[in-house]
């Protein structure tokens, strides 16, 4: 049998699962004196990467349990570790248009991480050449003939015809 904790701090939840399993199923000591659970183990896949696995195993051994009681799944952190920080990507407010008709630019300028600043004002996303990433311009300064990839898909409610019908998409794919 396998126990699979799903949330919380991975180190703490693995130890909690080991203690609960020991209480319910019992354990024996291996030749090195570490506890080996009887017919049950713990698998942890959520929130793990190499350094977290080392930390978990260190704590497991310090608590007197054998490492053979624990297995590790391969969550996204081990496989890719791609997120908005590693991809330097975030969606941020850049322009506000109020109901009274007034508007203003908005931007973020954190004092602790200048790499997380944002661009102010209305923006345009333009593909300048095939195979290259798109470039962001102030909306009123795009190159001549450039097509802005940005479009409104929600304005207080979904915008009708913002996306092609599924049947058209299916034919194309």
């Amino acid at each position: 049998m396998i126990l699979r904790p799903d949330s919380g701090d991975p180190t703490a939840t693995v130890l909690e699962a080991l203690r609960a399993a020991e209480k319910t199923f019992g354990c024996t000591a291996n030749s090195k004196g570490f506890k080996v659970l009887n017919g049950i183990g713990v698998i942890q896949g959520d929130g793990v990467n190499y350094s977290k696995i080392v930390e978990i195993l260190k704590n497991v051994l310090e608590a007197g349990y054998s490492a053979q009681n624990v297995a590790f799944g391969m969550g996204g952190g081990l496989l890719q570790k791609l997120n908005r920080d590693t991809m330097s990507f975030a969606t941020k407010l850049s322009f506000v248009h109020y109901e009274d008709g007034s508007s203003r630019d908005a931007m973020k300028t954190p004092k602790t991480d200048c790499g997380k600043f944002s661009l102010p004002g209305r923006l345009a996303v333009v593909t300048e050449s095939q195979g290259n990433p798109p470039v962001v311009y102030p909306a009123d300064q795009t190159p001549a003939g450039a097509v802005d990839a940005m479009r409104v898909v929600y304005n207080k409610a979904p915008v009708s015809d913002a996306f092609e019908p599924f049947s058209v998409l299916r034919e194309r794919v």
Side-chain angles (χ1 to χ4, degrees), residues 4-22:
R4 181 184 173 269
D6 191 43
S7 62
D9 174 63
T11 303
T13 57
V14 167
L15 290 173
E16 288 173 27
L18 290 171
R19 290 181 183 119
E22 178 185 6

Side-chain angles (χ1 to χ4, degrees), residues 6-173:
D6 191 43
S7 62
D9 174 63
T11 303
T13 57
V14 167
L15 290 173
E16 288 173 27
L18 290 171
R19 290 181 183 119
E22 178 185 6
K23 185 176 180 181
T24 305
F25 297 93
C27 65
T28 58
N30 65 16
S31 63
K32 294 184 178 183
F34 291 102
K35 299 175 191 177
V36 178
L37 299 173
N38 294 328
I40 190 165
V42 176
I43 186 168
Q44 179 67 39
D46 186 44
V48 296
N49 55 34
Y50 178 75
S51 59
K52 183 55 81 171
I53 290 171
V54 170
E55 177 186 325
I56 291 168
L57 290 174
K58 177 180 175 281
N59 284 279
V60 165
L61 296 175
E62 286 176 358
Y65 292 97
S66 170
Q68 75 186 73
N69 294 305
V70 184
F72 296 96
M74 194 166 148
L78 280 175
L79 178 62
Q80 300 159 326
K81 192 58 177 164
L82 298 177
N83 56 42
R84 66 187 187 129
D85 292 330
T86 58
M87 298 299 291
S88 298
F89 172 84
T91 302
K92 299 176 184 175
L93 177 69
S94 65
F95 182 80
V96 180
H97 182 81
Y98 297 101
E99 285 191 50
D100 68 4
S102 64
S103 60
R104 70 176 182 90
D105 293 349
M107 70 180 293
K108 181 178 177 182
T109 55
K111 293 177 182 172
T112 57
D113 188 350
C114 63
K116 291 187 175 182
F117 77 95
S118 64
L119 300 173
R122 290 182 178 262
L123 304 171
V125 178
V126 175
T127 300
E128 293 184 328
S129 60
Q130 208 61 1
N132 288 319
V135 178
V136 178
Y137 288 96
D140 59 354
Q141 297 176 25
T142 57
V147 178
D148 184 2
M150 300 283 282
R151 57 194 170 118
V152 176
V153 296
Y154 193 91
N155 186 4
K156 299 181 187 170
V159 173
S160 62
D161 300 326
F163 299 100
E164 61 190 5
F166 187 70
S167 57
V168 173
L169 173 66
R170 179 175 279 164
E171 287 176 25
R172 192 176 76 241
V173 175

